[in-house]
Amino acid sequence: MKTFVITGAASGIGAATKAQLDAAGHRTISLDIQHADIVADLATAEGRQAAIEQVIASAETIDGLVCCAGLGVTAPSAEMIVAVNYYGVMDLIHGLTEHLARQDGAAITVIGSFAATQQVHQPDALSLALLENDANAVSTALSNIAGPHVAYSASKYAVTVASRRLVRVLGKQGVRINIIAPGAVATPLHQASLNDPTFGQAVKNFVSPLGAHTDPNHIASLVSYIHSEAASFMHGSVLFVDGGMDAMLRPTQF
Ligand code: NAD
């Protein structure tokens, strides 16, 4: 039996992941702004610190951290998207690495997004500011942001790159990190995007070679695999589960 911390476990991909890990006999500690073992607001620095402290108080060691909590384009503000999708992942990773490193074979999974690829060729000012850890530049970039969709892709690009940059430091401590980049997944977040008057039509038009969307259980299965012994040499990978969308649009980049 392993112990997992799952952020965003109250809904969608996080809830499916928790259900699968529970069914496999593991201990799961859910962390969310609602309906969770640890209720914390990952949109604020105080909430993230409280979350870290509560995790450490809840379990002497943890085998896995699964960062699913996130906000989509219908979130109240671009600031909140960045706060939850970027800082809500990176602060938790930094705050819990030492705790994870106590356990042999510990691993982290970050739920990124296919949307991160929109920034790969030319990362925008927000992506660069996040990666440079420059709070003033982040706030300037947010005040000039073209819309929540840009905050979303920037937050997902930055969290993917920042996670990959940790392979050496985490690897030395025996902690693996991998990123899953889903395409469309049938969850409340995706449904809210479909219903959105500004973005709904674009989301509906965005159909992968394998269809419109997948089931959150298919992402959860990959999380289970990443945290199994069979994946013990997988580190720093970005795993697309997008119905072929990335390969269709960028066949030469991998
Ligand atoms: P969801 O809305 O079903 O679940 C997100 C969870 O995050 C919710 O339980 C919510 O309460 C929690 N959360 C939101 N703000 C929080 C905060 N401030 N503090 C703590 N918890 C908070 O969405 P989902 O689709 O399951 O999304 C999970 C992850 O997958 C997100 O990071 C999302 O960006 C990513 N993703 C989703 C899709 C998709 O199509 N659904 C595609 C690509 C990536």
Side-chain angles (χ1 to χ4, degrees):
M1 186 191 79
K2 292 182 177 181
T3 300
F4 290 90
V5 175
I6 306 162
T7 78
S11 176
I13 294 169
T17 300
K18 177 177 159 44
Q20 277 196 21
L21 293 171
D22 283 341
H26 298 297
R27 177 186 176 203
T28 56
I29 301 170
S30 57
L31 194 164
D32 204 294
I33 199 164
Q34 54 180 340
H35 313 305
D37 300 318
I38 298 175
V39 174
D41 183 2
L42 295 175
T44 69
E46 305 75 52
R48 295 188 287 273
Q49 189 51 41
I52 291 162
E53 285 164 16
Q54 286 183 73
V55 168
I56 292 170
S58 304
E60 230 162 79
T61 56
I62 50 175
D63 300 85
L65 170 65
V66 187
C67 297
C68 300
L71 292 173
V73 291
T74 62
S77 69
E79 284 78 3
M80 280 186 70
I81 293 174
V82 168
V84 179
N85 295 5
Y86 183 75
Y87 296 114
V89 175
M90 299 318 298
D91 284 6
L92 251 66
I93 291 174
H94 291 302
L96 292 173
T97 293
E98 215 181 294
H99 209 58
L100 281 156
R102 287 194 198 153
Q103 189 65 30
D104 282 350
I108 300 166
T109 299
V110 172
I111 307 297
S113 174
F114 164 80
T117 61
Q118 290 163 24
Q119 300 274 343
V120 165
H121 291 297
Q122 208 169 6
D124 70 0
L126 179 58
S127 297
L128 296 173
L130 288 168
L131 289 169
E132 279 158 21
N133 205 14
D134 182 339
N136 287 335
V138 168
S139 103
T140 306
L142 279 168
S143 58
N144 297 323
I145 200 96
H149 57 300
V150 182
Y152 186 76
S153 64
S155 69
K156 292 298 186 177
Y157 173 75
V159 85
T160 302
V161 173
S163 297
R164 280 164 61 79
R165 284 182 175 163
L166 291 174
V167 283
R168 262 163 65 143
V169 65
L170 289 178
K172 276 189 194 153
Q173 297 177 83
V175 179
R176 293 183 300 111
I177 185 165
N178 292 285
I179 303 97
I180 299 177
V185 187
T187 67
L189 181 151
H190 181 61
Q191 192 56 50
S193 316
L194 285 168
N195 297 344
D196 187 77
T198 311
F199 299 105
Q201 196 53 51
V203 178
K204 280 178 201 130
N205 294 343
F206 203 66
V207 176
S208 82
L210 291 183
H213 57 248
T214 191
D215 187 285
N217 280 305
H218 295 149
I219 311 296
S221 304
L222 183 54
V223 175
S224 297
Y225 172 73
I226 286 172
H227 289 265
S228 72
E229 216 281 323
S232 57
F233 206 55
M234 184 187 281
H235 187 36
S237 298
V238 180
L239 301 145
F240 286 89
V241 184
D242 65 351
M245 209 69 177
D246 179 57
M248 183 174 77
L249 297 177
R250 311 186 309 151
T252 60
Q253 269 112 42
F254 50 87

